Amino acid sequence: MGLNREWRHGEQHAWLEPPDILWARFRGALSLETSVWSCGVYRELASTQRFYLAADIAGSHLSPESRRYLVEHTKAGWFRGVVYIGAGLEQKATTKSLMVGAMLNGGRLDMTYVDTADEARAWIARHREAAALTG
């Protein structure tokens, strides 16, 4: 898939960097509607390919309803890996619970936390190399 694609929902923004990195920027309070939107983006993209999610979550907060929706509807098999950029302690606790839920819905999922987009790119490159070696 070589097409540049982009999605927006209010302040939230996601865009595909070919071949397989979905960059997403989340800001502010994330409602149930935001989770329905983001899960829809992931599902749409996963219908054609697995991808890396590089999510900048600095300054964002999931509501309990939003978190519950993501746990129930996100599938680990959609992703090659997930990188969270700019997560604080509360966000790390929340995203770890999301990843456990996603794994229960579909298998293993590699995830990490970084401070910058450059660090996210480096992790994705290392992850790709490791995956190529293990087949």
Side-chain angles (χ1 to χ4, degrees), residues 32-117:
L32 174 60
E33 292 77 20
T34 302
S35 288
V36 170
W37 168 79
S38 62
C39 198
V41 171
Y42 306 154
R43 186 181 304 105
E44 177 185 333
L45 190 52
S47 71
T48 59
Q49 70 182 79
R50 290 180 70 214
F51 59 93
Y52 287 98
L53 174 61
D56 180 346
I57 60 173
S60 67
H61 309 281
L62 280 173
S63 69
E65 298 82 14
S66 181
R67 182 174 37 252
R68 189 170 25 259
Y69 184 90
L70 289 172
V71 166
E72 292 173 1
H73 293 90
T74 302
K75 309 288 185 227
W78 294 346
F79 307 97
R80 292 179 178 262
V82 176
V83 183
Y84 288 108
I85 304 165
L89 289 176
E90 181 181 329
Q91 292 160 318
K92 286 179 181 179
T94 299
T95 54
K96 284 181 182 181
S97 71
L98 291 177
M99 293 302 102
V100 169
M103 289 187 294
L104 292 173
N105 288 330
R108 183 172 175 259
L109 180 58
D110 293 331
M111 176 192 73
T112 194
Y113 298 96
V114 300
D115 294 325
T116 68

Side-chain angles (χ1 to χ4, degrees), residues 113-134:
Y113 298 96
V114 300
D115 294 325
T116 68
D118 286 340
E119 291 172 339
R121 283 186 191 285
W123 184 87
I124 290 168
R126 288 190 306 274
H127 193 269
R128 277 194 181 115
E129 288 172 16
L133 292 175
T134 61

